[in-house]
Structures are given as C-alpha cells and as structure tokens.
Amino acid sequence: MKHPGKLFGGILLMLIGASILFSMIGIHIGGIIGLAIGAWLLYWGYAKWQEQGKWSFSSVLLLIVGALIALGGIGGVISLAIGVVLVYFGYRLLKPKDQAGEELEEEEDLAPVKTTYDVIDKEFEKLLNEHK
C-alpha cells in the first residue's frame, strides 16, 4: 500500500473509532466526521489532479466521492450550528437583567440621573424667572 493510502486508512480508522467511543458516552459526531472525510477526499483528488496536470480516473473518482460524502456531512454541521444558536439565545433569556452587558451599563452611566428634586428645582427656577 502506498504511503498516502496508509495515511488515509489510518486517519479513517481513527475517526471511526473515535466516533464509536464518543457515541458510547452520548456524544454523536458522525456528521462532522463525514464532512472531514469528504473534505479529505476532495483535497486528495485535487492534489492528484495538480500532480498529474490532467484529469485522471482516480482524481475524478476521489472528487466525486468526496463531494458526496461532504455534502452528506453538512447536515450534521447545520444541526450543530442550530444547536449552538439555540443554546446561546436560551442562555440570553435566562441571564439576569443585572448582567445584561457592559454596553447597557455604560449607557446608563453616561445618562444623567434625574430625581424628583431636580425636576422640582427646575420648575421653581422657571416660575421665578417668569415673574421677574
């Protein structure tokens, strides 16, 4: 077996084994592994095409199989992205208002604080200035 074939086979076996071990503890990464394998096959097919300077049967086959596997693995990545977005917005909903963010605190610090005494003082000055 050639060196690139051994490298690919070893990585493939490691990824499949890692997927099995992770799924035993409840972490399912099959979609991500499929995407990684598809991307690797795409790269390998592209590298063969660049090396030979022309399309060969093996480079076309690697590109087609890699594209099919990668497009099938995109579903897992999309599910992962949706899950991350939902967790983020759920956290934002559960976070107390006093920890709402530094931007709100800075805006509140810059805004002048008016008390009822300030409003009364302004009204009193306004009344005095009218009668003068």
Side-chain angles (χ1 to χ4, degrees):
M1 191 179 241
K2 293 183 180 179
H3 183 64
K6 283 185 178 181
L7 179 68
F8 176 72
I11 290 174
L12 182 64
L13 288 176
M14 286 177 53
L15 289 174
I16 292 171
S19 176
I20 291 171
L21 291 175
F22 281 134
S23 65
M24 288 177 66
I25 59 174
I27 301 171
H28 302 285
I29 57 172
I32 296 171
I33 290 176
L35 185 63
I37 292 171
W40 177 263
L41 288 175
L42 283 170
Y43 173 74
W44 195 12
Y46 178 76
K48 277 187 158 283
W49 173 63
Q50 290 293 322
E51 181 180 297
Q52 295 175 355
K54 62 180 183 174
W55 292 106
S56 66
F57 178 75
S58 62
S59 63
V60 172
L61 183 67
L62 285 171
L63 288 171
I64 290 173
V65 171
L68 289 174
I69 293 173
L71 291 176
I74 288 176
V77 173
I78 292 172
S79 298
L80 177 68
I82 291 171
V84 167
V85 167
L86 290 175
V87 167
Y88 172 73
F89 284 113
Y91 174 73
R92 294 273 317 256
L93 287 174
L94 293 175
K95 192 160 81 169
K97 295 287 184 186
D98 58 344
Q99 298 176 355
E102 294 177 15
E103 292 178 14
L104 293 177
E105 292 174 6
E106 289 176 5
E107 289 177 10
E108 291 174 1
D109 290 341
L110 296 176
V113 178
K114 290 187 177 184
T115 63
T116 48
Y117 296 116
D118 293 336
V119 176
I120 291 172
D121 288 340
K122 285 183 182 180
E123 290 295 324
F124 186 71
E125 287 176 15
K126 186 176 166 183
L127 285 172
L128 288 176
N129 290 336
E130 287 180 5
H131 291 295
K132 286 185 179 183

